[in-house]
Amino acid sequence: MNKIKYFAGETWASLRKNIILAIAAIAVVTVSLGILGLVVMGWNMFSNMIKNAERKVGEVDVYLSDLTTQEELQAIEAFLASIPEVDAKSIYFKSKDEALREFKERFKDQPELWEYIDENPLPNSYQLMTKDPKDVGVVVGRINNEAPYRERIEDIKSASSAIEKLENIFDKFRQIGTVAVIALALVAVLLVSVTIQVAIFARRREIGIMKLVGATNWFIRWPFVLEGVFEGLSGSLAAILVVMAVKVWILDRLIESLQFLRLSFSSGLFAVLVPCILVGGVVIGALGSAYALGRFLEV
C-alpha cells in the first residue's frame, strides 16, 4: 500500500507540474478516440442502411397511369409474369389507396407531410422481384421496350444504381475516417511521450539519487507509466462523453427525422464500443510512456 500511495503521489505531482502539457495530451487523446467512436457509429449506421437497401436490390417498381383500365392492368401483369428473369410469384399489385395508407403509417409521426393532402397523388403500381439481383437492368429494359400499353407506364424504379453509389460513398467515408484516427492516435502517443519526457527531465536529479541508493528500475519507472496511462484513460473517458452526447443530441434526432433512410444502430454496438475506447486510451498512454522511458530514461 505504501508503494501504491507513493506512485500515486508522484504521478499526481508530475501532472500538476506539467498541467498544460497534460491537458494538451488528454485533449488530443479525446479528439482521436472521439473521432474513432464517431467513425464507428457512422460506419454502423450506413452499413445497416445499405443492408436494408440491399434487400431491395432485386426489386422493380412499375408505376402506372391513373387512366389505366382493368384490361390493360391484366395485360401488363401477364407480360411481367412472362419475363424469364422475373419471379412470377413475387408480382404484387399495389393500389394507390394502399400506397397512401403505407405512406401515412411510415410517417405517422410527421402528419404535416400528408394531413393537408386533398387528393391521393400516389399512383397504382406493380412490385416484383427478379430471380437474380443482377438481372434488374435486363428486366427494366424489357419493360421499357416490350411491355404492352407502354404509354400507361409512367415510371420504372429500381434500387441497384443508388445502392452502388451509397457503397462508394461508404467506402470513402471509411477510408478517410481510418486515416484520420490513425494519424491522431500517433499524435496522441507522441504528445503523451513529450509530457513524460518533460517529467523525466524535471526529476533527473531525484532519479539519479534514487539509482544511487539502489531503487529498482521499475520503482523509478512506475510513476511515469501511470502518468501516461492516466492521461490516456482521462482522454478516453472524455471521448466517451463526447460520443454519447453526439449520439443523443444529433444522431438519434437524425435517425428519427430521416426514417425513410432506415438508419439505425446495431444492438450491442455501444457495449463493444465503450470498452474499446477505454482500452484504446490506456494503450495510447502506455505506448507514449514506453516510448519516452525507452528513449530518455536510462535505468
Side-chain angles (χ1 to χ4, degrees), residues 65-91:
S65 167
D66 289 346
L67 300 176
T68 309
T69 65
Q70 190 64 34
E71 181 183 346
E72 292 169 339
L73 287 174
Q74 292 174 355
I76 292 172
E77 182 173 347
F79 168 77
L80 296 176
S82 70
I83 299 176
E85 293 81 7
V86 170
D87 179 3
K89 295 181 180 179
S90 71
I91 299 174

mmCIF file with all atom_site columns, all heavy atoms in Angstrom, residues 65-91:
data_model
loop_
_atom_site.group_PDB
_atom_site.id
_atom_site.type_symbol
_atom_site.label_atom_id
_atom_site.label_alt_id
_atom_site.label_comp_id
_atom_site.label_asym_id
_atom_site.label_entity_id
_atom_site.label_seq_id
_atom_site.pdbx_PDB_ins_code
_atom_site.Cartn_x
_atom_site.Cartn_y
_atom_site.Cartn_z
_atom_site.occupancy
_atom_site.B_iso_or_equiv
_atom_site.pdbx_formal_charge
_atom_site.auth_seq_id
_atom_site.auth_comp_id
_atom_site.auth_asym_id
_atom_site.auth_atom_id
_atom_site.pdbx_PDB_model_num
ATOM 1   N N   . SER A 1 65 ? -50.247 4.841   -64.878 1.00 0.00 ? 65 SER A N   1
ATOM 2   C CA  . SER A 1 65 ? -51.128 5.997   -65.002 1.00 0.00 ? 65 SER A CA  1
ATOM 3   C C   . SER A 1 65 ? -52.485 5.691   -64.367 1.00 0.00 ? 65 SER A C   1
ATOM 4   O O   . SER A 1 65 ? -52.956 4.545   -64.375 1.00 0.00 ? 65 SER A O   1
ATOM 5   C CB  . SER A 1 65 ? -51.315 6.354   -66.479 1.00 0.00 ? 65 SER A CB  1
ATOM 6   O OG  . SER A 1 65 ? -52.387 7.265   -66.636 1.00 0.00 ? 65 SER A OG  1
ATOM 7   N N   . ASP A 1 66 ? -53.123 6.732   -63.829 1.00 0.00 ? 66 ASP A N   1
ATOM 8   C CA  . ASP A 1 66 ? -54.465 6.561   -63.262 1.00 0.00 ? 66 ASP A CA  1
ATOM 9   C C   . ASP A 1 66 ? -55.494 6.219   -64.337 1.00 0.00 ? 66 ASP A C   1
ATOM 10  O O   . ASP A 1 66 ? -56.603 5.769   -64.019 1.00 0.00 ? 66 ASP A O   1
ATOM 11  C CB  . ASP A 1 66 ? -54.889 7.835   -62.527 1.00 0.00 ? 66 ASP A CB  1
ATOM 12  C CG  . ASP A 1 66 ? -54.102 8.045   -61.231 1.00 0.00 ? 66 ASP A CG  1
ATOM 13  O OD1 . ASP A 1 66 ? -53.442 7.080   -60.789 1.00 0.00 ? 66 ASP A OD1 1
ATOM 14  O OD2 . ASP A 1 66 ? -54.144 9.156   -60.670 1.00 0.00 ? 66 ASP A OD2 1
ATOM 15  N N   . LEU A 1 67 ? -55.121 6.429   -65.600 1.00 0.00 ? 67 LEU A N   1
ATOM 16  C CA  . LEU A 1 67 ? -56.050 6.161   -66.702 1.00 0.00 ? 67 LEU A CA  1
ATOM 17  C C   . LEU A 1 67 ? -56.022 4.702   -67.151 1.00 0.00 ? 67 LEU A C   1
ATOM 18  O O   . LEU A 1 67 ? -56.793 4.299   -68.019 1.00 0.00 ? 67 LEU A O   1
ATOM 19  C CB  . LEU A 1 67 ? -55.718 7.061   -67.898 1.00 0.00 ? 67 LEU A CB  1
ATOM 20  C CG  . LEU A 1 67 ? -55.786 8.576   -67.644 1.00 0.00 ? 67 LEU A CG  1
ATOM 21  C CD1 . LEU A 1 67 ? -55.344 9.340   -68.874 1.00 0.00 ? 67 LEU A CD1 1
ATOM 22  C CD2 . LEU A 1 67 ? -57.190 8.988   -67.226 1.00 0.00 ? 67 LEU A CD2 1
ATOM 23  N N   . THR A 1 68 ? -55.157 3.907   -66.556 1.00 0.00 ? 68 THR A N   1
ATOM 24  C CA  . THR A 1 68 ? -55.025 2.507   -66.953 1.00 0.00 ? 68 THR A CA  1
ATOM 25  C C   . THR A 1 68 ? -56.307 1.735   -66.620 1.00 0.00 ? 68 THR A C   1
ATOM 26  O O   . THR A 1 68 ? -56.787 1.767   -65.481 1.00 0.00 ? 68 THR A O   1
ATOM 27  C CB  . THR A 1 68 ? -53.833 1.846   -66.235 1.00 0.00 ? 68 THR A CB  1
ATOM 28  O OG1 . THR A 1 68 ? -52.669 2.656   -66.407 1.00 0.00 ? 68 THR A OG1 1
ATOM 29  C CG2 . THR A 1 68 ? -53.560 0.462   -66.798 1.00 0.00 ? 68 THR A CG2 1
ATOM 30  N N   . THR A 1 69 ? -56.841 1.021   -67.590 1.00 0.00 ? 69 THR A N   1
ATOM 31  C CA  . THR A 1 69 ? -58.073 0.246   -67.386 1.00 0.00 ? 69 THR A CA  1
ATOM 32  C C   . THR A 1 69 ? -57.755 -1.127  -66.810 1.00 0.00 ? 69 THR A C   1
ATOM 33  O O   . THR A 1 69 ? -56.590 -1.558  -66.786 1.00 0.00 ? 69 THR A O   1
ATOM 34  C CB  . THR A 1 69 ? -58.821 0.067   -68.713 1.00 0.00 ? 69 THR A CB  1
ATOM 35  O OG1 . THR A 1 69 ? -58.010 -0.739  -69.588 1.00 0.00 ? 69 THR A OG1 1
ATOM 36  C CG2 . THR A 1 69 ? -59.115 1.410   -69.361 1.00 0.00 ? 69 THR A CG2 1
ATOM 37  N N   . GLN A 1 70 ? -58.783 -1.820  -66.354 1.00 0.00 ? 70 GLN A N   1
ATOM 38  C CA  . GLN A 1 70 ? -58.607 -3.148  -65.796 1.00 0.00 ? 70 GLN A CA  1
ATOM 39  C C   . GLN A 1 70 ? -58.036 -4.111  -66.828 1.00 0.00 ? 70 GLN A C   1
ATOM 40  O O   . GLN A 1 70 ? -57.177 -4.938  -66.518 1.00 0.00 ? 70 GLN A O   1
ATOM 41  C CB  . GLN A 1 70 ? -59.955 -3.669  -65.271 1.00 0.00 ? 70 GLN A CB  1
ATOM 42  C CG  . GLN A 1 70 ? -59.848 -4.948  -64.461 1.00 0.00 ? 70 GLN A CG  1
ATOM 43  C CD  . GLN A 1 70 ? -59.055 -4.742  -63.178 1.00 0.00 ? 70 GLN A CD  1
ATOM 44  O OE1 . GLN A 1 70 ? -59.098 -3.682  -62.574 1.00 0.00 ? 70 GLN A OE1 1
ATOM 45  N NE2 . GLN A 1 70 ? -58.295 -5.763  -62.787 1.00 0.00 ? 70 GLN A NE2 1
ATOM 46  N N   . GLU A 1 71 ? -58.506 -4.007  -68.063 1.00 0.00 ? 71 GLU A N   1
ATOM 47  C CA  . GLU A 1 71 ? -57.994 -4.859  -69.138 1.00 0.00 ? 71 GLU A CA  1
ATOM 48  C C   . GLU A 1 71 ? -56.513 -4.614  -69.374 1.00 0.00 ? 71 GLU A C   1
ATOM 49  O O   . GLU A 1 71 ? -55.722 -5.553  -69.554 1.00 0.00 ? 71 GLU A O   1
ATOM 50  C CB  . GLU A 1 71 ? -58.782 -4.591  -70.420 1.00 0.00 ? 71 GLU A CB  1
ATOM 51  C CG  . GLU A 1 71 ? -58.341 -5.452  -71.608 1.00 0.00 ? 71 GLU A CG  1
ATOM 52  C CD  . GLU A 1 71 ? -59.101 -5.117  -72.889 1.00 0.00 ? 71 GLU A CD  1
ATOM 53  O OE1 . GLU A 1 71 ? -60.136 -4.413  -72.798 1.00 0.00 ? 71 GLU A OE1 1
ATOM 54  O OE2 . GLU A 1 71 ? -58.660 -5.563  -73.955 1.00 0.00 ? 71 GLU A OE2 1
ATOM 55  N N   . GLU A 1 72 ? -56.136 -3.349  -69.354 1.00 0.00 ? 72 GLU A N   1
ATOM 56  C CA  . GLU A 1 72 ? -54.717 -3.001  -69.558 1.00 0.00 ? 72 GLU A CA  1
ATOM 57  C C   . GLU A 1 72 ? -53.870 -3.487  -68.379 1.00 0.00 ? 72 GLU A C   1
ATOM 58  O O   . GLU A 1 72 ? -52.734 -3.961  -68.569 1.00 0.00 ? 72 GLU A O   1
ATOM 59  C CB  . GLU A 1 72 ? -54.587 -1.493  -69.741 1.00 0.00 ? 72 GLU A CB  1
ATOM 60  C CG  . GLU A 1 72 ? -55.201 -0.996  -71.054 1.00 0.00 ? 72 GLU A CG  1
ATOM 61  C CD  . GLU A 1 72 ? -55.309 0.520   -71.118 1.00 0.00 ? 72 GLU A CD  1
ATOM 62  O OE1 . GLU A 1 72 ? -55.285 1.175   -70.038 1.00 0.00 ? 72 GLU A OE1 1
ATOM 63  O OE2 . GLU A 1 72 ? -55.424 1.059   -72.235 1.00 0.00 ? 72 GLU A OE2 1
ATOM 64  N N   . LEU A 1 73 ? -54.385 -3.385  -67.169 1.00 0.00 ? 73 LEU A N   1
ATOM 65  C CA  . LEU A 1 73 ? -53.676 -3.890  -65.994 1.00 0.00 ? 73 LEU A CA  1
ATOM 66  C C   . LEU A 1 73 ? -53.399 -5.378  -66.124 1.00 0.00 ? 73 LEU A C   1
ATOM 67  O O   . LEU A 1 73 ? -52.286 -5.851  -65.846 1.00 0.00 ? 73 LEU A O   1
ATOM 68  C CB  . LEU A 1 73 ? -54.487 -3.622  -64.723 1.00 0.00 ? 73 LEU A CB  1
ATOM 69  C CG  . LEU A 1 73 ? -54.550 -2.178  -64.208 1.00 0.00 ? 73 LEU A CG  1
ATOM 70  C CD1 . LEU A 1 73 ? -55.507 -2.083  -63.026 1.00 0.00 ? 73 LEU A CD1 1
ATOM 71  C CD2 . LEU A 1 73 ? -53.166 -1.693  -63.806 1.00 0.00 ? 73 LEU A CD2 1
ATOM 72  N N   . GLN A 1 74 ? -54.389 -6.116  -66.546 1.00 0.00 ? 74 GLN A N   1
ATOM 73  C CA  . GLN A 1 74 ? -54.227 -7.562  -66.689 1.00 0.00 ? 74 GLN A CA  1
ATOM 74  C C   . GLN A 1 74 ? -53.195 -7.902  -67.751 1.00 0.00 ? 74 GLN A C   1
ATOM 75  O O   . GLN A 1 74 ? -52.389 -8.828  -67.579 1.00 0.00 ? 74 GLN A O   1
ATOM 76  C CB  . GLN A 1 74 ? -55.573 -8.208  -67.032 1.00 0.00 ? 74 GLN A CB  1
ATOM 77  C CG  . GLN A 1 74 ? -56.582 -8.139  -65.890 1.00 0.00 ? 74 GLN A CG  1
ATOM 78  C CD  . GLN A 1 74 ? -57.956 -8.648  -66.299 1.00 0.00 ? 74 GLN A CD  1
ATOM 79  O OE1 . GLN A 1 74 ? -58.202 -8.970  -67.460 1.00 0.00 ? 74 GLN A OE1 1
ATOM 80  N NE2 . GLN A 1 74 ? -58.870 -8.739  -65.326 1.00 0.00 ? 74 GLN A NE2 1
ATOM 81  N N   . ALA A 1 75 ? -53.186 -7.134  -68.853 1.00 0.00 ? 75 ALA A N   1
ATOM 82  C CA  . ALA A 1 75 ? -52.219 -7.389  -69.929 1.00 0.00 ? 75 ALA A CA  1
ATOM 83  C C   . ALA A 1 75 ? -50.805 -7.087  -69.450 1.00 0.00 ? 75 ALA A C   1
ATOM 84  O O   . ALA A 1 75 ? -49.855 -7.846  -69.740 1.00 0.00 ? 75 ALA A O   1
ATOM 85  C CB  . ALA A 1 75 ? -52.571 -6.522  -71.143 1.00 0.00 ? 75 ALA A CB  1
ATOM 86  N N   . ILE A 1 76 ? -50.641 -5.990  -68.707 1.00 0.00 ? 76 ILE A N   1
ATOM 87  C CA  . ILE A 1 76 ? -49.311 -5.626  -68.196 1.00 0.00 ? 76 ILE A CA  1
ATOM 88  C C   . ILE A 1 76 ? -48.844 -6.671  -67.188 1.00 0.00 ? 76 ILE A C   1
ATOM 89  O O   . ILE A 1 76 ? -47.676 -7.093  -67.210 1.00 0.00 ? 76 ILE A O   1
ATOM 90  C CB  . ILE A 1 76 ? -49.352 -4.218  -67.561 1.00 0.00 ? 76 ILE A CB  1
ATOM 91  C CG1 . ILE A 1 76 ? -49.590 -3.167  -68.649 1.00 0.00 ? 76 ILE A CG1 1
ATOM 92  C CG2 . ILE A 1 76 ? -48.058 -3.924  -66.816 1.00 0.00 ? 76 ILE A CG2 1
ATOM 93  C CD1 . ILE A 1 76 ? -49.839 -1.763  -68.119 1.00 0.00 ? 76 ILE A CD1 1
ATOM 94  N N   . GLU A 1 77 ? -49.731 -7.116  -66.299 1.00 0.00 ? 77 GLU A N   1
ATOM 95  C CA  . GLU A 1 77 ? -49.345 -8.120  -65.305 1.00 0.00 ? 77 GLU A CA  1
ATOM 96  C C   . GLU A 1 77 ? -48.953 -9.437  -65.981 1.00 0.00 ? 77 GLU A C   1
ATOM 97  O O   . GLU A 1 77 ? -47.970 -10.082 -65.577 1.00 0.00 ? 77 GLU A O   1
ATOM 98  C CB  . GLU A 1 77 ? -50.492 -8.356  -64.326 1.00 0.00 ? 77 GLU A CB  1
ATOM 99  C CG  . GLU A 1 77 ? -50.142 -9.366  -63.236 1.00 0.00 ? 77 GLU A CG  1
ATOM 100 C CD  . GLU A 1 77 ? -51.208 -9.469  -62.167 1.00 0.00 ? 77 GLU A CD  1
ATOM 101 O OE1 . GLU A 1 77 ? -52.109 -8.601  -62.120 1.00 0.00 ? 77 GLU A OE1 1
ATOM 102 O OE2 . GLU A 1 77 ? -51.150 -10.432 -61.365 1.00 0.00 ? 77 GLU A OE2 1
ATOM 103 N N   . ALA A 1 78 ? -49.704 -9.827  -67.013 1.00 0.00 ? 78 ALA A N   1
ATOM 104 C CA  . ALA A 1 78 ? -49.369 -11.057 -67.731 1.00 0.00 ? 78 ALA A CA  1
ATOM 105 C C   . ALA A 1 78 ? -48.004 -10.946 -68.391 1.00 0.00 ? 78 ALA A C   1
ATOM 106 O O   . ALA A 1 78 ? -47.221 -11.912 -68.406 1.00 0.00 ? 78 ALA A O   1
ATOM 107 C CB  . ALA A 1 78 ? -50.448 -11.352 -68.777 1.00 0.00 ? 78 ALA A CB  1
ATOM 108 N N   . PHE A 1 79 ? -47.708 -9.769  -68.940 1.00 0.00 ? 79 PHE A N   1
ATOM 109 C CA  . PHE A 1 79 ? -46.392 -9.567  -69.556 1.00 0.00 ? 79 PHE A CA  1
ATOM 110 C C   . PHE A 1 79 ? -45.286 -9.675  -68.515 1.00 0.00 ? 79 PHE A C   1
ATOM 111 O O   . PHE A 1 79 ? -44.254 -10.333 -68.756 1.00 0.00 ? 79 PHE A O   1
ATOM 112 C CB  . PHE A 1 79 ? -46.349 -8.202  -70.252 1.00 0.00 ? 79 PHE A CB  1
ATOM 113 C CG  . PHE A 1 79 ? -44.963 -7.798  -70.657 1.00 0.00 ? 79 PHE A CG  1
ATOM 114 C CD1 . PHE A 1 79 ? -44.357 -8.358  -71.768 1.00 0.00 ? 79 PHE A CD1 1
ATOM 115 C CD2 . PHE A 1 79 ? -44.248 -6.890  -69.904 1.00 0.00 ? 79 PHE A CD2 1
ATOM 116 C CE1 . PHE A 1 79 ? -43.053 -8.009  -72.131 1.00 0.00 ? 79 PHE A CE1 1
ATOM 117 C CE2 . PHE A 1 79 ? -42.951 -6.525  -70.260 1.00 0.00 ? 79 PHE A CE2 1
ATOM 118 C CZ  . PHE A 1 79 ? -42.351 -7.090  -71.373 1.00 0.00 ? 79 PHE A CZ  1
ATOM 119 N N   . LEU A 1 80 ? -45.472 -9.040  -67.346 1.00 0.00 ? 80 LEU A N   1
ATOM 120 C CA  . LEU A 1 80 ? -44.449 -9.088  -66.294 1.00 0.00 ? 80 LEU A CA  1
ATOM 121 C C   . LEU A 1 80 ? -44.198 -10.526 -65.862 1.00 0.00 ? 80 LEU A C   1
ATOM 122 O O   . LEU A 1 80 ? -43.052 -10.935 -65.655 1.00 0.00 ? 80 LEU A O   1
ATOM 123 C CB  . LEU A 1 80 ? -44.882 -8.242  -65.093 1.00 0.00 ? 80 LEU A CB  1
ATOM 124 C CG  . LEU A 1 80 ? -45.031 -6.734  -65.335 1.00 0.00 ? 80 LEU A CG  1
ATOM 125 C CD1 . LEU A 1 80 ? -45.562 -6.038  -64.080 1.00 0.00 ? 80 LEU A CD1 1
ATOM 126 C CD2 . LEU A 1 80 ? -43.707 -6.109  -65.755 1.00 0.00 ? 80 LEU A CD2 1
ATOM 127 N N   . ALA A 1 81 ? -45.258 -11.316 -65.739 1.00 0.00 ? 81 ALA A N   1
ATOM 128 C CA  . ALA A 1 81 ? -45.109 -12.713 -65.325 1.00 0.00 ? 81 ALA A CA  1
ATOM 129 C C   . ALA A 1 81 ? -44.406 -13.557 -66.389 1.00 0.00 ? 81 ALA A C   1
ATOM 130 O O   . ALA A 1 81 ? -43.812 -14.594 -66.074 1.00 0.00 ? 81 ALA A O   1
ATOM 131 C CB  . ALA A 1 81 ? -46.484 -13.304 -65.005 1.00 0.00 ? 81 ALA A CB  1
ATOM 132 N N   . SER A 1 82 ? -44.461 -13.109 -67.635 1.00 0.00 ? 82 SER A N   1
ATOM 133 C CA  . SER A 1 82 ? -43.856 -13.880 -68.729 1.00 0.00 ? 82 SER A CA  1
ATOM 134 C C   . SER A 1 82 ? -42.355 -13.633 -68.871 1.00 0.00 ? 82 SER A C   1
ATOM 135 O O   . SER A 1 82 ? -41.671 -14.359 -69.587 1.00 0.00 ? 82 SER A O   1
ATOM 136 C CB  . SER A 1 82 ? -44.548 -13.543 -70.050 1.00 0.00 ? 82 SER A CB  1
ATOM 137 O OG  . SER A 1 82 ? -44.234 -12.213 -70.468 1.00 0.00 ? 82 SER A OG  1
ATOM 138 N N   . ILE A 1 83 ? -41.828 -12.609 -68.209 1.00 0.00 ? 83 ILE A N   1
ATOM 139 C CA  . ILE A 1 83 ? -40.388 -12.312 -68.314 1.00 0.00 ? 83 ILE A CA  1
ATOM 140 C C   . ILE A 1 83 ? -39.613 -13.403 -67.577 1.00 0.00 ? 83 ILE A C   1
ATOM 141 O O   . ILE A 1 83 ? -39.841 -13.631 -66.373 1.00 0.00 ? 83 ILE A O   1
ATOM 142 C CB  . ILE A 1 83 ? -40.073 -10.929 -67.720 1.00 0.00 ? 83 ILE A CB  1
ATOM 143 C CG1 . ILE A 1 83 ? -40.841 -9.839  -68.483 1.00 0.00 ? 83 ILE A CG1 1
ATOM 144 C CG2 . ILE A 1 83 ? -38.572 -10.656 -67.765 1.00 0.00 ? 83 ILE A CG2 1
ATOM 145 C CD1 . ILE A 1 83 ? -40.665 -8.441  -67.895 1.00 0.00 ? 83 ILE A CD1 1
ATOM 146 N N   . PRO A 1 84 ? -38.690 -14.101 -68.239 1.00 0.00 ? 84 PRO A N   1
ATOM 147 C CA  . PRO A 1 84 ? -37.989 -15.237 -67.615 1.00 0.00 ? 84 PRO A CA  1
ATOM 148 C C   . PRO A 1 84 ? -37.215 -14.859 -66.348 1.00 0.00 ? 84 PRO A C   1
ATOM 149 O O   . PRO A 1 84 ? -37.086 -15.672 -65.430 1.00 0.00 ? 84 PRO A O   1
ATOM 150 C CB  . PRO A 1 84 ? -37.031 -15.711 -68.724 1.00 0.00 ? 84 PRO A CB  1
ATOM 151 C CG  . PRO A 1 84 ? -37.628 -15.189 -69.995 1.00 0.00 ? 84 PRO A CG  1
ATOM 152 C CD  . PRO A 1 84 ? -38.292 -13.901 -69.647 1.00 0.00 ? 84 PRO A CD  1
ATOM 153 N N   . GLU A 1 85 ? -36.682 -13.650 -66.310 1.00 0.00 ? 85 GLU A N   1
ATOM 154 C CA  . GLU A 1 85 ? -35.844 -13.240 -65.175 1.00 0.00 ? 85 GLU A CA  1
ATOM 155 C C   . GLU A 1 85 ? -36.662 -12.825 -63.949 1.00 0.00 ? 85 GLU A C   1
ATOM 156 O O   . GLU A 1 85 ? -36.097 -12.548 -62.879 1.00 0.00 ? 85 GLU A O   1
ATOM 157 C CB  . GLU A 1 85 ? -34.929 -12.079 -65.572 1.00 0.00 ? 85 GLU A CB  1
ATOM 158 C CG  . GLU A 1 85 ? -33.860 -12.417 -66.595 1.00 0.00 ? 85 GLU A CG  1
ATOM 159 C CD  . GLU A 1 85 ? -34.373 -12.427 -68.028 1.00 0.00 ? 85 GLU A CD  1
ATOM 160 O OE1 . GLU A 1 85 ? -35.549 -12.037 -68.236 1.00 0.00 ? 85 GLU A OE1 1
ATOM 161 O OE2 . GLU A 1 85 ? -33.622 -12.815 -68.936 1.00 0.00 ? 85 GLU A OE2 1
ATOM 162 N N   . VAL A 1 86 ? -37.989 -12.739 -64.101 1.00 0.00 ? 86 VAL A N   1
ATOM 163 C CA  . VAL A 1 86 ? -38.856 -12.282 -63.008 1.00 0.00 ? 86 VAL A CA  1
ATOM 164 C C   . VAL A 1 86 ? -39.419 -13.477 -62.249 1.00 0.00 ? 86 VAL A C   1
ATOM 165 O O   . VAL A 1 86 ? -39.836 -14.467 -62.844 1.00 0.00 ? 86 VAL A O   1
ATOM 166 C CB  . VAL A 1 86 ? -40.009 -11.404 -63.554 1.00 0.00 ? 86 VAL A CB  1
ATOM 167 C CG1 . VAL A 1 86 ? -41.046 -11.129 -62.459 1.00 0.00 ? 86 VAL A CG1 1
ATOM 168 C CG2 . VAL A 1 86 ? -39.459 -10.099 -64.095 1.00 0.00 ? 86 VAL A CG2 1
ATOM 169 N N   . ASP A 1 87 ? -39.428 -13.354 -60.904 1.00 0.00 ? 87 ASP A N   1
ATOM 170 C CA  . ASP A 1 87 ? -40.085 -14.356 -60.072 1.00 0.00 ? 87 ASP A CA  1
ATOM 171 C C   . ASP A 1 87 ? -41.584 -14.068 -60.115 1.00 0.00 ? 87 ASP A C   1
ATOM 172 O O   . ASP A 1 87 ? -42.071 -13.118 -59.488 1.00 0.00 ? 87 ASP A O   1
ATOM 173 C CB  . ASP A 1 87 ? -39.559 -14.261 -58.636 1.00 0.00 ? 87 ASP A CB  1
ATOM 174 C CG  . ASP A 1 87 ? -40.212 -15.261 -57.708 1.00 0.00 ? 87 ASP A CG  1
ATOM 175 O OD1 . ASP A 1 87 ? -41.035 -16.072 -58.190 1.00 0.00 ? 87 ASP A OD1 1
ATOM 176 O OD2 . ASP A 1 87 ? -39.920 -15.213 -56.497 1.00 0.00 ? 87 ASP A OD2 1
ATOM 177 N N   . ALA A 1 88 ? -42.318 -14.864 -60.862 1.00 0.00 ? 88 ALA A N   1
ATOM 178 C CA  . ALA A 1 88 ? -43.740 -14.598 -61.092 1.00 0.00 ? 88 ALA A CA  1
ATOM 179 C C   . ALA A 1 88 ? -44.541 -14.554 -59.791 1.00 0.00 ? 88 ALA A C   1
ATOM 180 O O   . ALA A 1 88 ? -45.520 -13.811 -59.677 1.00 0.00 ? 88 ALA A O   1
ATOM 181 C CB  . ALA A 1 88 ? -44.320 -15.651 -62.035 1.00 0.00 ? 88 ALA A CB  1
ATOM 182 N N   . LYS A 1 89 ? -44.117 -15.319 -58.788 1.00 0.00 ? 89 LYS A N   1
ATOM 183 C CA  . LYS A 1 89 ? -44.841 -15.348 -57.517 1.00 0.00 ? 89 LYS A CA  1
ATOM 184 C C   . LYS A 1 89 ? -44.682 -14.040 -56.732 1.00 0.00 ? 89 LYS A C   1
ATOM 185 O O   . LYS A 1 89 ? -45.452 -13.780 -55.801 1.00 0.00 ? 89 LYS A O   1
ATOM 186 C CB  . LYS A 1 89 ? -44.346 -16.512 -56.669 1.00 0.00 ? 89 LYS A CB  1
ATOM 187 C CG  . LYS A 1 89 ? -44.650 -17.884 -57.259 1.00 0.00 ? 89 LYS A CG  1
ATOM 188 C CD  . LYS A 1 89 ? -44.143 -18.991 -56.359 1.00 0.00 ? 89 LYS A CD  1
ATOM 189 C CE  . LYS A 1 89 ? -44.444 -20.363 -56.952 1.00 0.00 ? 89 LYS A CE  1
ATOM 190 N NZ  . LYS A 1 89 ? -43.922 -21.461 -56.090 1.00 0.00 ? 89 LYS A NZ  1
ATOM 191 N N   . SER A 1 90 ? -43.676 -13.263 -57.096 1.00 0.00 ? 90 SER A N   1
ATOM 192 C CA  . SER A 1 90 ? -43.401 -12.028 -56.344 1.00 0.00 ? 90 SER A CA  1
ATOM 193 C C   . SER A 1 90 ? -44.196 -10.832 -56.858 1.00 0.00 ? 90 SER A C   1
ATOM 194 O O   . SER A 1 90 ? -44.201 -9.775  -56.224 1.00 0.00 ? 90 SER A O   1
ATOM 195 C CB  . SER A 1 90 ? -41.906 -11.699 -56.421 1.00 0.00 ? 90 SER A CB  1
ATOM 196 O OG  . SER A 1 90 ? -41.552 -11.267 -57.737 1.00 0.00 ? 90 SER A OG  1
ATOM 197 N N   . ILE A 1 91 ? -44.858 -10.981 -58.005 1.00 0.00 ? 91 ILE A N   1
ATOM 198 C CA  . ILE A 1 91 ? -45.570 -9.847  -58.600 1.00 0.00 ? 91 ILE A CA  1
ATOM 199 C C   . ILE A 1 91 ? -46.754 -9.456  -57.708 1.00 0.00 ? 91 ILE A C   1
ATOM 200 O O   . ILE A 1 91 ? -47.587 -10.297 -57.355 1.00 0.00 ? 91 ILE A O   1
ATOM 201 C CB  . ILE A 1 91 ? -46.055 -10.181 -60.021 1.00 0.00 ? 91 ILE A CB  1
ATOM 202 C CG1 . ILE A 1 91 ? -44.857 -10.495 -60.922 1.00 0.00 ? 91 ILE A CG1 1
ATOM 203 C CG2 . ILE A 1 91 ? -46.866 -9.030  -60.598 1.00 0.00 ? 91 ILE A CG2 1
ATOM 204 C CD1 . ILE A 1 91 ? -45.241 -10.983 -62.300 1.00 0.00 ? 91 ILE A CD1 1
#
